[in-house]
Amino acid sequence: MDFDLNDDQRAILEAVEALLEQHAGAARAIELQPKGEYDASLDAALADAGFSDVGRDPDMGGLEATLVVEAVARAGGVVAIGAEAMVAPMLRDEPLPTPIALATAGHGGAVRYAASARSLLVLGDREARWVALEPGDCAPVRSNFGYPMGRVSAEGTTRGDGLGVGSAARLHTAWQLAIAAEAVGCMEAALAQTVGYLKERRQFGRAIGSFQAVQHRLAECAIHVEGSRWLVREAAYQRAPTEGVATAAAFALSAAGRIFSEMHQLSGAIGFTREHDLHVWSMRLQALRLELGGVAAHRRAIVAARWGGVGS
Amino acid sequence: MNVRFSKQEEDFRAEVRVFLEPWRDLDGFFGQGLKWKRVRELFCAMGERGWLSLSWPEALGGLGRGPAYEYILWDEVGYARAARNPLSAGIVARSLIRYGSDAQKARWLPPIRSGELHFSLCYSEPEAGSDLASARVRADREGDEYIVNGQKCWQSYAQDMDYLWLLARTGTQESRGRGLSLFICDKNAAGVTVSPLPTLDDDQLNEVHFDGVRVPVSDRVGPENGAWSIMGEALADERHIQFPPGRVRRDLDEMVEWVKGVGLAGDPVVRRTLADLAVQVREVEIYGLLVLDRMQKGRSAAAEVAANKVIHTVVCQNIARAIVDLGGPEALVIGSRPQLLWRQSMWETIGGGTTEIMRSIVAKQALGLGARR
Ligand SMILES: Cc1cc2nc3c(=O)[nH]c(=O)nc-3n(C[C@H](O)[C@H](O)[C@H](O)COP(=O)(O)OP(=O)(O)OC[C@H]3O[C@@H](n4cnc5c(N)ncnc54)[C@H](O)[C@@H]3O)c2cc1C
């Protein structure tokens, strides 16, 4: 038993963080937001350095990819790294054209990154499909939740190539874990940002962070973030077992709701303004919470994995 | 005990409902800044009926009716989502009625009563949010004027308002709440700059900078260094209409409509959620009525008022969260109703005194748990 990262994993993490330091960060995310733009240069930089593909490396795999996704989320990167590093490798040996967006069959609707995506992975009942997108296939939609969003037509989700038996389950699990990993990164950054602010912000002659009522709430949040991180990493380490992934997702996305509310409440009015960076991560938590059926669906997936379908 | 409104009060409610018919599509309760022109028209229409001065003394142009009428009015306006009760006819007018000079009453009350003149609340500052007694915008007396310097922030709607209701320091910094005074300041006075602070709901709050602004002594309201008790009393005068339960009832009704529309009305989990929220909405209503009762009897009720704010705003959030969680990613799209409700409720637990500060008041006033000193 050893929860520490090994040397290779540490090296990957340090390297990706150095790259993100240069190419990503809250300021960059805020710059791209009004235009709803995808960070193609960051995507290219991550791909060139091999980070998007660590999940395909036979010597590495899911855990390393998870570390990358967590780090990109902490840096507020506007790239579909979860789909690229954690999902696509589970479905096809050859890389897909990027960016990659993830959608559910038969559901037209708002999808993260769809407006700039060149690949769409579609979760069907039996099979997953890969759709090569043409420009204009997905119209951008206006949203304010930290991700550029696009609308996939219901018809668009029925095209493309089937990815074979078992692909739907693999896509579902990988997608769930990718959401959870991204939530972990966003929660870590939102918590760190808020704790830093509350150490500085003084009211009633003291730092707000010195009030015990505030400390206890931040401590509770820290416990939730820590729990999320290790459940996600454990699931990745165990090669994404259905129940373990559903558990990690249910835990992390439930924590995400709490982190959102608490960080905003404890930041006061400034957290409501665009001049304060919190929204870069907090609004994303809200978006991640709703994907793939949300916490309720992750919980149902645990029950289905452990005890089978209802009535069977 | 009698938890019914009188026949006359119920008749008034019916009258308000009819009046509101043409305003039901306004949606000025949310994002007032984006709809100010029509919201102002609504206030003028209310002003014509004397409804902005329902409880003012008749000598000051009011209708001299009891708080229940005001409660009913804003409850219905809140349910109709038409507008929030304006600061001008609220805190500003009530302060003037209690503390204004005759000249001030004559000058300000008529255009406030008619719905034409509006104020921005300039209390908070970058370093003085929850701890308002530490405000540091200064007003230094020079002859017949005060010279105002410093910065306020987070002013809602200041971009559209005509005047500023300004809290400024006239005493030493150490005198805290005992060294603050209230002023009326022309938004267009030389040295006043209002600039937008874009917010996460695509609307704005504002910063207000004062750079050597000259305010005549005749525009100070109440005694020098007397702001604290005036502010407290004005808030108390307003406590029964600040958080109209109608808004929360409407939130739930909208959620039910939405649930039916998306075909979830038969889902047992959804029904359970609705039942839970319906109970919470009843709690909001009973607290609203409790505060009204205290108000009618002139009892101070700091703990009930604080509790009312907590319950009202938290239940708004619970409803909004529930609807977004059911809405899926579609709830993230600008223009969708779940998205709007959610973004409009998330900040209610901060503005006007945070939940934490309200809880401290309950602990102190209701439970006798004083701060360690
Ligand atoms: C939508 C909106 C509209 C507003 N409109 C106006 C307006 O028109 N005019 C105006 O003057 N102001 C306005 N405000 C500002 C509002 O009054 C302040 O935001 C509020 O008083 C809180 O101050 P703050 O934001 O500085 O938070 P802070 O005081 O910095 O507090 C940050 C967090 O710490 C908590 N905290 C602080 N002290 C303690 C303590 N002792 N114990 C435990 N927790 C504590 C707070 O509860 C909060 O959660 C508005 C705010 C919002 C969000």
Side-chain angles (χ1 to χ4, degrees):
Chain A
M1 185 63 56
D2 183 3
F3 273 42
D4 289 342
L5 301 180
N6 66 28
D7 289 346
D8 286 346
Q9 291 160 346
R10 256 204 314 277
I12 290 177
L13 191 57
E14 279 166 20
V16 74
E17 282 178 342
L19 182 149
L20 291 163
E21 181 86 27
Q22 242 192 333
H23 292 272
R28 174 78 176 147
I30 290 171
E31 176 196 335
L32 294 170
Q33 248 169 29
K35 298 168 258 173
E37 225 175 281
Y38 187 77
D39 199 342
S41 66
L42 173 61
D43 197 340
L46 287 165
D48 290 347
F51 293 120
S52 319
D53 274 342
V54 288
R56 296 180 189 281
D57 188 322
D59 297 332
M60 302 198 196
L63 181 55
E64 286 74 9
T66 302
L67 297 175
V68 168
V69 170
E70 287 175 11
V72 172
R74 278 196 300 274
V78 190
V79 287
I81 190 70
E84 245 175 86
M86 292 177 69
V87 179
M90 307 294 278
L91 292 167
R92 256 177 60 118
D93 293 335
E94 311 79 50
L96 298 173
T98 62
I100 305 167
L102 306 173
T104 308
H107 283 268
V111 168
R112 284 195 288 145
Y113 298 119
S116 21
R118 286 167 61 219
S119 296
L120 187 66
L121 285 172
V122 180
L123 179 65
D125 284 342
R126 296 221 182 82
E127 217 182 355
R129 318 178 73 78
W130 164 49
V131 184
L133 291 172
E134 303 295 329
D137 270 353
C138 301
V141 286
R142 264 169 40 77
S143 171
N144 233 330
F145 287 79
Y147 296 106
M149 308 278 286
R151 192 177 294 286
V152 179
S153 69
E155 179 271 331
T157 63
T158 60
R159 300 202 318 253
D161 305 330
L163 293 168
V165 180
S167 58
R170 285 204 308 280
L171 172 54
H172 187 267
T173 307
W175 183 355
Q176 238 178 350
L177 190 57
I179 295 172
E182 206 163 327
V184 166
C186 291
M187 287 193 281
E188 287 172 343
L191 179 63
Q193 208 273 347
T194 307
V195 168
Y197 177 69
L198 293 175
K199 283 180 180 167
E200 298 288 317
R201 171 85 174 153
R202 296 177 71 84
Q203 291 287 275
F204 306 102
R206 342 178 353 188
I208 289 180
S210 74
F211 289 110
Q212 208 167 38
V214 173
Q215 290 173 350
H216 285 182
R217 283 161 64 183
L218 290 169
E220 272 294 314
C221 288
I223 293 168
H224 276 76
V225 174
E226 191 82 351
S228 304
R229 181 192 305 128
W230 296 115
L231 284 171
V232 165
R233 289 190 182 174
E234 183 201 20
Y237 170 84
Q238 304 279 15
R239 296 178 184 278
T242 311
E243 186 189 329
V245 168
T247 304
F251 189 91
L253 277 312
S254 166
R258 178 162 186 166
I259 300 295
F260 176 93
S261 308
E262 291 287 66
M263 296 308 107
H264 272 290
Q265 183 62 27
L266 292 173
S267 296
I270 201 169
F272 181 38
T273 64
R274 294 202 172 273
E275 68 181 35
H276 194 68
D277 290 346
L278 176 61
H279 67 92
V280 168
W281 305 285
S282 64
M283 296 305 270
R284 285 182 165 202
L285 287 174
Q286 198 56 34
L288 293 168
R289 264 174 73 71
L290 301 185
E291 207 161 286
L292 207 53
V295 176
H298 302 315
R299 289 183 178 145
R300 283 197 300 273
I302 301 173
V303 175
R306 184 178 287 193
W307 293 291
V310 177
S312 67
Chain B
M1 185 163 168
N2 172 9
V3 285
R4 288 212 189 86
F5 286 105
S6 70
K7 165 88 172 60
Q8 292 91 321
E9 288 160 351
E10 287 299 350
D11 288 348
F12 178 66
R13 187 185 289 278
E15 188 187 343
V16 172
R17 284 189 182 158
V18 172
F19 164 82
L20 283 170
E21 273 319 311
W23 303 95
R24 286 189 195 276
D25 64 340
L26 169 56
D27 226 3
F29 196 95
F30 296 148
Q32 175 185 297
L34 309 171
K35 298 150 197 165
W36 173 240
K37 199 165 155 279
R38 271 201 84 211
V39 173
R40 190 172 175 283
E41 284 167 17
L42 166 65
F43 289 149
C44 288
M46 292 172 77
E48 266 173 38
R49 294 173 174 247
W51 286 359
L52 296 180
S53 49
L54 269 175
S55 70
W56 302 7
E58 284 169 57
L60 295 173
L63 298 186
R65 300 222 209 153
Y69 288 89
E70 286 179 315
Y71 178 93
I72 288 168
L73 174 67
W74 293 107
D75 192 45
E76 288 298 326
V77 174
Y79 186 84
R81 296 250 196 267
R84 292 181 193 248
N85 61 314
L87 186 78
S88 54
I91 285 174
V92 173
R94 295 188 205 260
S95 302
L96 286 167
I97 290 169
R98 278 182 189 262
Y99 288 95
S101 64
D102 288 342
Q104 285 174 331
K105 287 179 190 160
R107 174 166 174 207
W108 301 109
L109 291 179
I112 289 177
R113 198 174 62 216
S114 67
E116 285 161 296
L117 194 70
H118 291 276
F119 285 77
S120 159
L121 184 78
C122 289
Y123 284 1
S124 304
E125 300 178 9
E127 304 303 324
S130 296
D131 184 14
L132 196 53
S134 71
R136 49 195 80 201
V137 164
R138 282 214 60 90
D140 293 304
R141 180 129 183 203
E142 261 183 31
D144 288 343
E145 292 176 324
Y146 285 90
I147 314 296
V148 181
N149 282 293
Q151 184 196 345
K152 295 282 171 185
C153 61
W154 305 318
Q155 277 59 52
S156 347
Y157 320 131
Q159 71 272 27
D160 299 315
M161 301 293 110
D162 311 293
Y163 282 85
L164 311 175
W165 181 250
L166 171 65
L167 177 71
R169 182 155 301 280
T170 38
T172 61
Q173 197 62 35
E174 294 68 43
S175 60
R176 295 194 36 94
R178 291 184 309 279
L180 296 167
S181 306
L182 282 166
F183 300 91
I184 289 175
C185 175
D186 188 343
K187 196 179 90 176
N188 297 314
V192 175
T193 318
V194 177
S195 30
L197 283 171
T199 50
L200 297 179
D201 59 354
D202 280 341
D203 202 336
Q204 67 180 67
L205 292 172
N206 299 275
E207 285 177 343
V208 185
H209 288 265
F210 298 86
D211 183 9
V213 178
R214 295 178 171 273
V215 177
V217 169
S218 57
D219 286 345
R220 189 191 72 222
V221 179
E224 190 170 273
N225 296 327
W228 208 246
S229 50
I230 304 177
M231 288 158 63
E233 287 170 46
L235 264 185
D237 285 344
E238 280 268 284
R239 60 196 153 164
H240 58 306
I241 57 172
Q242 284 247 305
F243 299 99
R247 180 259 163 101
V248 191
R249 263 195 331 273
R250 178 65 181 269
D251 285 1
L252 183 62
D253 284 357
E254 272 194 29
M255 177 169 178
V256 172
E257 282 313 304
W258 180 86
V259 159
K260 286 183 189 159
V262 295
L264 286 172
D267 182 317
V269 176
V270 174
R271 295 175 77 86
R272 206 204 109 147
T273 303
L274 289 174
D276 183 23
L277 292 170
V279 173
Q280 295 183 33
V281 171
R282 285 299 301 147
E283 184 192 13
V284 168
E285 288 190 286
I286 202 70
Y287 251 99
L289 292 168
L290 175 70
V291 169
L292 171 62
D293 172 72
R294 300 302 190 244
M295 174 78 195
Q296 282 178 323
K297 295 181 178 137
R299 286 195 205 154
S300 83
E304 286 97 329
V305 172
N308 184 48
K309 199 219 160 191
V310 172
I311 289 159
H312 180 103
T313 54
V314 167
V315 173
C316 288
Q317 292 182 346
N318 290 346
I319 296 172
R321 241 182 248 128
I323 182 170
V324 161
D325 280 352
L326 292 174
E330 215 39 45
L332 303 176
V333 177
I334 291 179
S336 84
R337 200 69 194 174
Q339 184 270 162
L340 182 82
L341 275 183
W342 183 81
R343 287 206 302 188
Q344 291 297 331
S345 70
M346 284 304 131
W347 331 106
E348 305 268 9
T349 47
I350 296 169
T354 66
T355 298
E356 290 68 31
I357 298 302
M358 296 300 130
R359 287 188 185 134
S360 294
I361 293 172
V362 174
K364 196 167 166 191
Q365 304 287 339
L367 307 177
L369 296 166
R372 182 169 50 107
R373 290 267 175 243

